[in-house]
Amino acid sequence: RTLTVDHTKVSNTNQTNFPVLVSGTFTYLKTVANGGKVQNSNGYDIIFSTDAVGASKLSWEVVKYVATTGEIEAWVKVPTLTTATDYVFYLGYGNTTVSTFQGGATGSAWNSNAIGVYHVPDGTTLNTNDFTANANNLTNNNTATATTGQIDGGLNLVRASTQFLSKGTPILVSSYPLTITGWFYVNNTTGQYTVAGFSNTGDGKGRKLLYVSAGTLHLYNENDAGGTSFPAASTTYSATTWYYGAAVFASATDFKIYQNGANMGSSTTNVVFGTPSNTFIGRDQPSTSYFDGKVDEVHFWNTALAADWILTEYNNQNSPSTFITIGSEGSAKIKSKIIKLEEL
């Protein structure tokens, strides 16, 4: 089947090595035993390629596959998304000879700038592992639980129970450049909640990189003199609604905040964050702003993601079914090509 990325969902500039989310429930991706066409019980014969016969495989990861329903969450690294033409790649399945995963090594769906990717998948059993090759796995503190997320499962955090995820050693090499993206769902808009951030080895204070307060999204730099919010909050959010947030730090004088792919504020004020130490999802340092609600798909990047990448990412993750159109099953022409290759 063809997978066609709508070029109108790619914002302004071409994107290279972009992790495209392919997500949904498809009857043909059930295993044969469940009335579908997938041969391997783990879904290993589900492949993504640049050609119709599956000879040139892309790199991908499968976060979730359900053999009985055909549900899949896969992230596929595509070489280039262009703004001018639709990008077409292929979904294959049904090869009876496949018994191992075909998508490449762990983390190969992500480029080298992704240093921590937390899908927290499946909605039943909380998985706090990093899906990049860096293995920056997080610790579950005070029994945070799994719940439904924006994409498959998510992380449920109860402020009163001081629940959060953490890693006691640095994920980030330095505080510039970096980007943190993630989805958040706050139970109310009256408190102050940290989606994600890190502490500083110099003063031990918190850098709240995605921070929601009094119904607005911003970042907060805490130090011995108190704290400063950057940039000025310029948008509001509603309780019990999923939002995509991104905090971008290109330099000590270049901060930007995005909500649902739109730039909501910038700052050129000089702020020195120092060297990151502990990493958090769901609280800050010191621990006064525990999150209360749901968090999903938190990604840490050792680069300043561009505005067009962020909007394209939002378009894909917000609505995978409109970002990608899935074609009908293989034509006779494609099948004849497969036969000819087998004969060769």
Side-chain angles (χ1 to χ4, degrees):
R1 294 175 184 264
T2 56
L3 301 177
T4 303
V5 175
D6 182 355
H7 72 278
T8 67
K9 307 290 186 182
V10 181
S11 176
N12 294 316
T13 56
N14 298 346
Q15 303 300 334
T16 303
N17 292 328
F18 191 91
V20 171
L21 170 64
V22 180
S23 179
T25 300
F26 311 99
T27 56
Y28 48 84
L29 292 187
K30 296 179 183 179
T31 55
V32 171
N34 291 291
K37 298 188 176 183
V38 172
Q39 299 291 328
N40 185 273
S41 60
N42 294 310
Y44 291 156
D45 55 305
I46 299 172
I47 69 166
F48 299 91
S49 61
T50 60
D51 64 303
V53 296
S56 299
K57 296 182 182 65
L58 294 162
S59 296
W60 70 88
E61 67 182 16
V62 176
V63 178
K64 183 179 183 180
Y65 171 66
V66 182
T68 56
T69 65
E71 181 184 0
I72 191 168
E73 178 193 341
W75 298 76
V76 185
K77 184 166 70 175
V78 301
T80 305
L81 294 180
T82 72
T83 61
T85 57
D86 294 345
Y87 179 80
V88 178
F89 60 117
Y90 294 86
L91 165 67
Y93 48 88
N95 188 337
T96 59
T97 67
V98 175
S99 59
T100 57
F101 180 65
Q102 303 292 298
T106 299
S108 59
W110 301 89
N111 65 49
S112 59
N113 290 318
I115 53 175
V117 170
Y118 304 99
H119 296 303
V120 289
D122 102 6
T124 303
T125 303
L126 184 60
N127 182 340
T128 62
N129 289 342
D130 172 21
F131 278 70
T132 74
N134 301 304
N136 285 315
N137 301 334
L138 301 179
T139 298
N140 184 353
N141 299 273
N142 301 323
T143 322
T145 57
T147 186
T148 55
Q150 166 66 18
I151 302 166
D152 188 27
L155 171 66
N156 186 61
L157 296 166
V158 178
R159 180 186 180 93
S161 300
T162 62
Q163 297 172 337
F164 64 100
L165 307 183
S166 66
K167 182 172 173 59
T169 55
I171 288 177
L172 302 166
V173 176
S174 64
S175 54
Y176 311 108
L178 69 88
T179 303
I180 296 183
T181 63
W183 289 84
F184 65 94
Y185 172 111
V186 177
N187 288 332
N188 62 74
T189 60
T190 59
Q192 298 178 339
Y193 313 105
T194 302
V195 180
F198 64 85
S199 59
N200 179 31
T201 56
D203 58 20
K205 300 295 184 176
R207 278 60 176 152
K208 308 166 190 179
L209 305 185
L210 280 177
Y211 181 65
V212 292
S213 176
T216 57
L217 174 66
H218 52 117
L219 62 100
Y220 191 85
N221 178 42
E222 186 164 8
N223 52 46
D224 289 335
T228 308
S229 175
F230 301 97
S234 59
T235 186
T236 59
Y237 62 86
S238 302
T240 64
T241 301
W242 280 104
Y243 292 93
Y244 168 90
V248 180
F249 308 88
S251 71
T253 57
D254 187 355
F255 307 151
K256 295 181 178 68
I257 283 287
Y258 298 81
Q259 183 168 294
N260 290 350
N263 186 340
M264 292 300 175
S266 302
S267 176
T268 58
T269 302
N270 184 39
V271 177
V272 178
F273 275 174
T275 302
S277 56
N278 295 354
T279 305
F280 303 105
I281 295 177
R283 61 157 265 192
D284 63 337
Q285 177 74 28
S287 51
T288 57
S289 300
Y290 290 97
F291 197 82
D292 192 40
K294 303 176 185 179
V295 175
D296 195 11
E297 289 298 335
V298 176
H299 303 170
F300 291 81
W301 301 81
N302 249 347
T303 188
L305 292 180
D308 292 335
W309 175 292
I310 288 170
L311 180 54
T312 302
E313 187 171 273
Y314 169 73
N315 290 338
N316 181 203
Q317 295 179 22
N318 182 56
S319 181
S321 63
T322 58
F323 192 83
I324 297 173
T325 300
I326 302 178
S328 58
E329 199 165 280
S331 67
K333 182 178 180 181
I334 292 174
K335 291 178 181 177
S336 70
K337 289 182 180 179
I338 295 172
I339 292 170
K340 288 178 181 179
L341 283 174
E342 289 175 344
E343 289 173 349
L344 290 173

Short mmCIF file of all heavy atoms in Angstrom, two decimals, residues 4-62:
data_model
loop_
_atom_site.label_atom_id
_atom_site.label_comp_id
_atom_site.label_asym_id
_atom_site.label_seq_id
_atom_site.Cartn_x
_atom_site.Cartn_y
_atom_site.Cartn_z
N THR A 4 1.01 8.20 1.51
CA THR A 4 1.26 9.48 0.86
C THR A 4 1.15 10.61 1.88
O THR A 4 0.08 10.84 2.45
CB THR A 4 0.27 9.73 -0.29
OG1 THR A 4 0.35 8.64 -1.22
CG2 THR A 4 0.57 11.03 -1.01
N VAL A 5 2.28 11.30 2.10
CA VAL A 5 2.30 12.45 3.00
C VAL A 5 1.80 13.67 2.24
O VAL A 5 2.33 14.01 1.17
CB VAL A 5 3.71 12.70 3.54
CG1 VAL A 5 3.75 13.98 4.38
CG2 VAL A 5 4.20 11.51 4.36
N ASP A 6 0.80 14.32 2.79
CA ASP A 6 0.24 15.54 2.20
C ASP A 6 1.25 16.68 2.32
O ASP A 6 1.56 17.12 3.43
CB ASP A 6 -1.06 15.88 2.92
CG ASP A 6 -1.75 17.11 2.35
OD1 ASP A 6 -1.19 17.77 1.45
OD2 ASP A 6 -2.86 17.44 2.83
N HIS A 7 1.77 17.15 1.19
CA HIS A 7 2.81 18.18 1.23
C HIS A 7 2.31 19.49 1.83
O HIS A 7 3.12 20.30 2.31
CB HIS A 7 3.39 18.43 -0.17
CG HIS A 7 2.47 19.16 -1.09
ND1 HIS A 7 1.47 18.54 -1.80
CD2 HIS A 7 2.39 20.48 -1.42
CE1 HIS A 7 0.83 19.43 -2.52
NE2 HIS A 7 1.36 20.63 -2.31
N THR A 8 0.99 19.71 1.83
CA THR A 8 0.47 20.94 2.41
C THR A 8 0.55 20.94 3.93
O THR A 8 0.37 21.97 4.58
CB THR A 8 -0.98 21.19 1.98
OG1 THR A 8 -1.84 20.19 2.55
CG2 THR A 8 -1.12 21.19 0.47
N LYS A 9 0.83 19.76 4.51
CA LYS A 9 1.01 19.65 5.96
C LYS A 9 2.47 19.85 6.37
O LYS A 9 2.79 19.85 7.56
CB LYS A 9 0.54 18.28 6.45
CG LYS A 9 -0.86 17.89 6.05
CD LYS A 9 -1.92 18.70 6.76
CE LYS A 9 -3.32 18.18 6.42
NZ LYS A 9 -4.37 18.98 7.08
N VAL A 10 3.35 19.98 5.37
CA VAL A 10 4.77 20.24 5.62
C VAL A 10 4.98 21.75 5.55
O VAL A 10 4.78 22.37 4.50
CB VAL A 10 5.66 19.52 4.59
CG1 VAL A 10 7.14 19.79 4.88
CG2 VAL A 10 5.37 18.02 4.60
N SER A 11 5.38 22.34 6.63
CA SER A 11 5.36 23.80 6.76
C SER A 11 6.58 24.47 6.12
O SER A 11 7.71 24.28 6.58
CB SER A 11 5.30 24.18 8.24
OG SER A 11 5.37 25.57 8.41
N ASN A 12 6.35 25.20 5.04
CA ASN A 12 7.28 26.20 4.48
C ASN A 12 8.63 25.69 3.96
O ASN A 12 9.08 26.12 2.90
CB ASN A 12 7.55 27.31 5.50
CG ASN A 12 6.30 28.12 5.78
OD1 ASN A 12 5.56 28.48 4.88
ND2 ASN A 12 6.05 28.38 7.06
N THR A 13 9.32 24.84 4.71
CA THR A 13 10.63 24.37 4.28
C THR A 13 10.68 22.85 4.28
O THR A 13 9.95 22.19 5.03
CB THR A 13 11.75 24.89 5.20
OG1 THR A 13 11.45 24.51 6.56
CG2 THR A 13 11.86 26.40 5.13
N ASN A 14 11.53 22.29 3.42
CA ASN A 14 11.70 20.85 3.38
C ASN A 14 12.32 20.34 4.68
O ASN A 14 13.14 21.03 5.30
CB ASN A 14 12.59 20.45 2.20
CG ASN A 14 11.99 20.84 0.86
OD1 ASN A 14 10.81 21.18 0.77
ND2 ASN A 14 12.80 20.79 -0.18
N GLN A 15 11.95 19.13 5.07
CA GLN A 15 12.46 18.54 6.30
C GLN A 15 13.23 17.26 5.98
O GLN A 15 12.76 16.43 5.20
CB GLN A 15 11.31 18.24 7.27
CG GLN A 15 10.45 19.43 7.63
CD GLN A 15 11.22 20.55 8.31
OE1 GLN A 15 12.26 20.32 8.94
NE2 GLN A 15 10.75 21.78 8.18
N THR A 16 14.38 17.11 6.61
CA THR A 16 15.27 15.98 6.34
C THR A 16 15.30 15.03 7.52
O THR A 16 15.33 15.46 8.69
CB THR A 16 16.70 16.48 6.05
OG1 THR A 16 16.66 17.40 4.95
CG2 THR A 16 17.63 15.33 5.71
N ASN A 17 15.27 13.73 7.22
CA ASN A 17 15.32 12.68 8.26
C ASN A 17 14.26 12.92 9.32
O ASN A 17 14.54 12.98 10.52
CB ASN A 17 16.71 12.59 8.88
CG ASN A 17 17.73 12.07 7.90
OD1 ASN A 17 17.42 11.27 7.02
ND2 ASN A 17 18.97 12.51 8.04
N PHE A 18 13.04 13.04 8.85
CA PHE A 18 11.91 13.39 9.72
C PHE A 18 11.22 12.12 10.20
O PHE A 18 10.86 11.25 9.39
CB PHE A 18 10.92 14.25 8.94
CG PHE A 18 9.86 14.89 9.80
CD1 PHE A 18 10.06 16.15 10.33
CD2 PHE A 18 8.68 14.23 10.08
CE1 PHE A 18 9.09 16.75 11.12
CE2 PHE A 18 7.70 14.82 10.86
CZ PHE A 18 7.91 16.09 11.40
N PRO A 19 11.00 11.96 11.52
CA PRO A 19 10.29 10.78 12.03
C PRO A 19 8.78 10.94 11.85
O PRO A 19 8.13 11.70 12.58
CB PRO A 19 10.68 10.74 13.50
CG PRO A 19 10.98 12.17 13.85
CD PRO A 19 11.50 12.82 12.60
N VAL A 20 8.22 10.25 10.88
CA VAL A 20 6.79 10.34 10.57
C VAL A 20 6.03 9.31 11.39
O VAL A 20 6.38 8.13 11.41
CB VAL A 20 6.54 10.12 9.07
CG1 VAL A 20 5.06 9.99 8.77
CG2 VAL A 20 7.15 11.27 8.26
N LEU A 21 4.98 9.77 12.07
CA LEU A 21 4.13 8.87 12.84
C LEU A 21 3.09 8.23 11.93
O LEU A 21 2.34 8.91 11.25
CB LEU A 21 3.42 9.66 13.95
CG LEU A 21 2.30 8.93 14.70
CD1 LEU A 21 2.85 7.72 15.47
CD2 LEU A 21 1.58 9.88 15.65
N VAL A 22 3.08 6.89 11.92
CA VAL A 22 2.04 6.12 11.24
C VAL A 22 1.24 5.41 12.33
O VAL A 22 1.78 4.56 13.04
CB VAL A 22 2.65 5.09 10.27
CG1 VAL A 22 1.55 4.30 9.57
CG2 VAL A 22 3.54 5.78 9.24
N SER A 23 -0.02 5.77 12.46
CA SER A 23 -0.79 5.29 13.60
C SER A 23 -2.24 5.04 13.20
O SER A 23 -2.82 5.79 12.41
CB SER A 23 -0.74 6.33 14.74
OG SER A 23 -1.49 5.93 15.85
N GLY A 24 -2.82 3.97 13.74
CA GLY A 24 -4.22 3.67 13.48
C GLY A 24 -4.49 2.19 13.68
O GLY A 24 -3.61 1.41 14.07
N THR A 25 -5.73 1.81 13.41
CA THR A 25 -6.14 0.41 13.50
C THR A 25 -6.66 -0.02 12.14
O THR A 25 -7.58 0.60 11.59
CB THR A 25 -7.25 0.22 14.57
OG1 THR A 25 -6.74 0.65 15.84
CG2 THR A 25 -7.67 -1.23 14.66
N PHE A 26 -6.05 -1.08 11.58
CA PHE A 26 -6.32 -1.50 10.21
C PHE A 26 -6.57 -3.00 10.19
O PHE A 26 -5.71 -3.78 10.64
CB PHE A 26 -5.13 -1.14 9.31
CG PHE A 26 -4.66 0.28 9.47
CD1 PHE A 26 -3.55 0.58 10.25
CD2 PHE A 26 -5.35 1.32 8.86
CE1 PHE A 26 -3.11 1.89 10.41
CE2 PHE A 26 -4.92 2.64 9.01
CZ PHE A 26 -3.81 2.93 9.79
N THR A 27 -7.71 -3.42 9.67
CA THR A 27 -8.07 -4.83 9.70
C THR A 27 -7.06 -5.70 8.97
O THR A 27 -6.81 -6.84 9.38
CB THR A 27 -9.47 -5.04 9.09
OG1 THR A 27 -9.49 -4.50 7.75
CG2 THR A 27 -10.54 -4.33 9.91
N TYR A 28 -6.47 -5.19 7.90
CA TYR A 28 -5.52 -5.99 7.14
C TYR A 28 -4.21 -6.19 7.88
O TYR A 28 -3.39 -7.05 7.52
CB TYR A 28 -5.25 -5.37 5.75
CG TYR A 28 -4.96 -3.89 5.77
CD1 TYR A 28 -3.68 -3.41 6.02
CD2 TYR A 28 -5.97 -2.96 5.53
CE1 TYR A 28 -3.41 -2.05 6.03
CE2 TYR A 28 -5.71 -1.59 5.54
CZ TYR A 28 -4.43 -1.14 5.79
OH TYR A 28 -4.17 0.20 5.80
N LEU A 29 -3.96 -5.41 8.96
CA LEU A 29 -2.76 -5.60 9.76
C LEU A 29 -2.99 -6.53 10.94
O LEU A 29 -2.08 -6.73 11.77
CB LEU A 29 -2.21 -4.26 10.24
CG LEU A 29 -1.63 -3.35 9.15
CD1 LEU A 29 -0.97 -2.13 9.76
CD2 LEU A 29 -0.65 -4.09 8.26
N LYS A 30 -4.18 -7.12 11.04
CA LYS A 30 -4.34 -8.24 11.96
C LYS A 30 -3.50 -9.41 11.45
O LYS A 30 -3.17 -9.49 10.26
CB LYS A 30 -5.81 -8.69 12.02
CG LYS A 30 -6.79 -7.68 12.57
CD LYS A 30 -8.19 -8.28 12.53
CE LYS A 30 -9.25 -7.32 12.98
NZ LYS A 30 -10.61 -7.93 12.92
N THR A 31 -3.15 -10.31 12.33
CA THR A 31 -2.48 -11.52 11.86
C THR A 31 -3.50 -12.42 11.14
O THR A 31 -4.72 -12.27 11.30
CB THR A 31 -1.86 -12.31 13.02
OG1 THR A 31 -2.87 -12.59 13.99
CG2 THR A 31 -0.73 -11.52 13.68
N VAL A 32 -2.98 -13.35 10.37
CA VAL A 32 -3.84 -14.27 9.61
C VAL A 32 -4.79 -15.02 10.54
O VAL A 32 -5.97 -15.22 10.24
CB VAL A 32 -2.97 -15.25 8.80
CG1 VAL A 32 -3.83 -16.35 8.19
CG2 VAL A 32 -2.20 -14.51 7.72
N ALA A 33 -4.29 -15.41 11.70
CA ALA A 33 -5.11 -16.14 12.66
C ALA A 33 -6.29 -15.31 13.16
O ALA A 33 -7.29 -15.86 13.64
CB ALA A 33 -4.26 -16.59 13.84
N ASN A 34 -6.19 -13.98 13.03
CA ASN A 34 -7.26 -13.08 13.49
C ASN A 34 -8.02 -12.46 12.33
O ASN A 34 -8.76 -11.48 12.52
CB ASN A 34 -6.66 -11.99 14.38
CG ASN A 34 -6.16 -12.51 15.70
OD1 ASN A 34 -6.95 -12.91 16.55
ND2 ASN A 34 -4.84 -12.54 15.88
N GLY A 35 -7.86 -13.02 11.14
CA GLY A 35 -8.62 -12.55 9.99
C GLY A 35 -7.94 -11.50 9.16
O GLY A 35 -8.55 -10.94 8.24
N GLY A 36 -6.66 -11.22 9.44
CA GLY A 36 -5.92 -10.23 8.67
C GLY A 36 -4.92 -10.88 7.73
O GLY A 36 -5.06 -12.05 7.36
N LYS A 37 -3.86 -10.13 7.38
CA LYS A 37 -2.90 -10.61 6.39
C LYS A 37 -1.46 -10.61 6.88
O LYS A 37 -0.55 -10.95 6.11
CB LYS A 37 -3.02 -9.77 5.12
CG LYS A 37 -4.41 -9.88 4.48
CD LYS A 37 -4.49 -9.21 3.13
CE LYS A 37 -5.86 -9.44 2.50
NZ LYS A 37 -5.95 -8.87 1.14
N VAL A 38 -1.24 -10.24 8.13
CA VAL A 38 0.11 -10.25 8.69
C VAL A 38 0.46 -11.68 9.12
O VAL A 38 -0.35 -12.35 9.77
CB VAL A 38 0.22 -9.28 9.88
CG1 VAL A 38 1.55 -9.42 10.59
CG2 VAL A 38 0.04 -7.85 9.39
N GLN A 39 1.65 -12.13 8.76
CA GLN A 39 2.04 -13.51 8.99
C GLN A 39 2.69 -13.73 10.36
O GLN A 39 2.44 -14.74 11.01
CB GLN A 39 3.02 -13.95 7.90
CG GLN A 39 2.44 -13.90 6.49
CD GLN A 39 1.37 -14.94 6.26
OE1 GLN A 39 1.41 -16.03 6.82
NE2 GLN A 39 0.40 -14.60 5.42
N ASN A 40 3.51 -12.79 10.79
CA ASN A 40 4.26 -12.97 12.03
C ASN A 40 3.46 -12.44 13.21
O ASN A 40 2.89 -11.35 13.14
CB ASN A 40 5.60 -12.25 11.91
CG ASN A 40 6.49 -12.48 13.12
OD1 ASN A 40 6.40 -11.77 14.11
ND2 ASN A 40 7.34 -13.50 13.03
N SER A 41 3.43 -13.18 14.30
CA SER A 41 2.61 -12.79 15.46
C SER A 41 3.09 -11.49 16.09
O SER A 41 2.31 -10.81 16.76
CB SER A 41 2.62 -13.91 16.50
OG SER A 41 3.94 -14.17 16.95
N ASN A 42 4.36 -11.13 15.89
CA ASN A 42 4.90 -9.86 16.40
C ASN A 42 4.80 -8.73 15.38
O ASN A 42 5.23 -7.62 15.66
CB ASN A 42 6.36 -10.04 16.81
CG ASN A 42 6.52 -10.98 17.99
OD1 ASN A 42 5.85 -10.81 19.00
ND2 ASN A 42 7.40 -11.96 17.85
N GLY A 43 4.27 -9.05 14.20
CA GLY A 43 4.15 -8.04 13.16
C GLY A 43 5.45 -7.73 12.45
O GLY A 43 5.58 -6.69 11.80
N TYR A 44 6.42 -8.64 12.51
CA TYR A 44 7.73 -8.37 11.92
C TYR A 44 7.68 -8.26 10.40
O TYR A 44 8.57 -7.67 9.79
CB TYR A 44 8.73 -9.44 12.33
CG TYR A 44 9.12 -9.43 13.78
CD1 TYR A 44 9.59 -10.57 14.41
CD2 TYR A 44 9.03 -8.25 14.54
CE1 TYR A 44 9.96 -10.56 15.75
CE2 TYR A 44 9.39 -8.23 15.88
CZ TYR A 44 9.86 -9.41 16.47
OH TYR A 44 10.22 -9.39 17.80
N ASP A 45 6.66 -8.86 9.78
CA ASP A 45 6.57 -8.74 8.33
C ASP A 45 5.90 -7.44 7.88
O ASP A 45 5.74 -7.22 6.68
CB ASP A 45 5.86 -9.95 7.71
CG ASP A 45 4.48 -10.21 8.31
OD1 ASP A 45 4.40 -10.34 9.55
OD2 ASP A 45 3.49 -10.28 7.56
N ILE A 46 5.55 -6.56 8.82
CA ILE A 46 5.10 -5.21 8.47
C ILE A 46 6.34 -4.37 8.23
O ILE A 46 7.18 -4.20 9.13
CB ILE A 46 4.26 -4.60 9.61
CG1 ILE A 46 3.01 -5.43 9.87
CG2 ILE A 46 3.88 -3.16 9.28
CD1 ILE A 46 2.23 -5.01 11.09
N ILE A 47 6.51 -3.87 7.01
CA ILE A 47 7.71 -3.12 6.66
C ILE A 47 7.34 -1.79 6.02
O ILE A 47 6.23 -1.62 5.49
CB ILE A 47 8.64 -3.91 5.73
CG1 ILE A 47 8.00 -4.07 4.34
CG2 ILE A 47 9.00 -5.27 6.33
CD1 ILE A 47 8.98 -4.53 3.28
N PHE A 48 8.29 -0.87 6.02
CA PHE A 48 8.15 0.43 5.37
C PHE A 48 9.35 0.60 4.44
O PHE A 48 10.50 0.38 4.84
CB PHE A 48 8.11 1.55 6.40
CG PHE A 48 6.95 1.43 7.36
CD1 PHE A 48 7.10 0.74 8.56
CD2 PHE A 48 5.72 1.98 7.05
CE1 PHE A 48 6.04 0.62 9.45
CE2 PHE A 48 4.65 1.86 7.94
CZ PHE A 48 4.81 1.18 9.13
N SER A 49 9.08 0.99 3.20
CA SER A 49 10.14 1.06 2.20
C SER A 49 9.90 2.22 1.25
O SER A 49 8.81 2.80 1.20
CB SER A 49 10.23 -0.25 1.42
OG SER A 49 9.01 -0.49 0.74
N THR A 50 10.92 2.53 0.47
CA THR A 50 10.81 3.60 -0.53
C THR A 50 10.34 3.07 -1.87
O THR A 50 10.09 3.86 -2.79
CB THR A 50 12.17 4.30 -0.73
OG1 THR A 50 13.13 3.35 -1.18
CG2 THR A 50 12.64 4.94 0.57
N ASP A 51 10.22 1.76 -2.02
CA ASP A 51 9.80 1.16 -3.28
C ASP A 51 8.68 0.16 -3.04
O ASP A 51 8.51 -0.35 -1.93
CB ASP A 51 10.97 0.46 -3.97
CG ASP A 51 11.48 -0.72 -3.16
OD1 ASP A 51 11.86 -0.51 -1.99
OD2 ASP A 51 11.49 -1.84 -3.67
N ALA A 52 7.93 -0.15 -4.11
CA ALA A 52 6.72 -0.95 -3.98
C ALA A 52 6.98 -2.41 -3.64
O ALA A 52 6.09 -3.10 -3.13
CB ALA A 52 5.91 -0.87 -5.27
N VAL A 53 8.18 -2.91 -3.91
CA VAL A 53 8.45 -4.33 -3.64
C VAL A 53 9.23 -4.53 -2.34
O VAL A 53 9.61 -5.65 -2.02
CB VAL A 53 9.21 -4.98 -4.82
CG1 VAL A 53 8.34 -4.96 -6.06
CG2 VAL A 53 10.54 -4.28 -5.07
N GLY A 54 9.49 -3.45 -1.62
CA GLY A 54 10.13 -3.58 -0.31
C GLY A 54 11.62 -3.85 -0.34
O GLY A 54 12.18 -4.31 0.66
N ALA A 55 12.27 -3.56 -1.45
CA ALA A 55 13.70 -3.82 -1.54
C ALA A 55 14.53 -2.77 -0.79
O ALA A 55 15.58 -3.09 -0.23
CB ALA A 55 14.13 -3.86 -3.00
N SER A 56 14.07 -1.52 -0.78
CA SER A 56 14.81 -0.43 -0.13
C SER A 56 14.06 -0.01 1.13
O SER A 56 13.21 0.88 1.11
CB SER A 56 14.96 0.76 -1.08
OG SER A 56 15.68 0.38 -2.23
N LYS A 57 14.39 -0.65 2.22
CA LYS A 57 13.70 -0.42 3.48
C LYS A 57 14.15 0.88 4.12
O LYS A 57 15.32 1.25 4.06
CB LYS A 57 13.92 -1.59 4.44
CG LYS A 57 13.35 -2.92 3.98
CD LYS A 57 13.58 -3.99 5.03
CE LYS A 57 13.06 -5.34 4.56
NZ LYS A 57 13.83 -5.85 3.39
N LEU A 58 13.20 1.56 4.75
CA LEU A 58 13.49 2.71 5.58
C LEU A 58 13.86 2.23 6.98
O LEU A 58 13.86 1.03 7.26
CB LEU A 58 12.27 3.64 5.62
CG LEU A 58 11.90 4.29 4.29
CD1 LEU A 58 10.46 4.82 4.32
CD2 LEU A 58 12.88 5.41 3.95
N SER A 59 14.15 3.14 7.89
CA SER A 59 14.35 2.82 9.30
C SER A 59 13.08 3.18 10.06
O SER A 59 12.51 4.25 9.83
CB SER A 59 15.54 3.58 9.88
OG SER A 59 16.74 3.20 9.24
N TRP A 60 12.65 2.31 10.97
CA TRP A 60 11.45 2.60 11.74
C TRP A 60 11.49 1.88 13.08
O TRP A 60 12.31 1.01 13.33
CB TRP A 60 10.19 2.19 10.96
CG TRP A 60 9.98 0.71 10.80
CD1 TRP A 60 9.34 -0.15 11.65
CD2 TRP A 60 10.42 -0.10 9.69
NE1 TRP A 60 9.34 -1.42 11.17
CE2 TRP A 60 9.99 -1.43 9.96
CE3 TRP A 60 11.11 0.16 8.50
CZ2 TRP A 60 10.25 -2.49 9.08
CZ3 TRP A 60 11.37 -0.88 7.64
CH2 TRP A 60 10.94 -2.19 7.92
N GLU A 61 10.59 2.31 13.96
CA GLU A 61 10.35 1.60 15.20
C GLU A 61 8.86 1.36 15.34
O GLU A 61 8.04 2.15 14.86
CB GLU A 61 10.87 2.39 16.41
CG GLU A 61 10.10 3.67 16.69
CD GLU A 61 10.66 4.45 17.87
OE1 GLU A 61 11.80 4.18 18.28
OE2 GLU A 61 9.95 5.35 18.37
N VAL A 62 8.50 0.25 15.95
CA VAL A 62 7.11 -0.05 16.26
C VAL A 62 6.93 0.06 17.76
O VAL A 62 7.48 -0.73 18.53
CB VAL A 62 6.70 -1.45 15.75
CG1 VAL A 62 5.27 -1.77 16.18
CG2 VAL A 62 6.82 -1.51 14.23
#
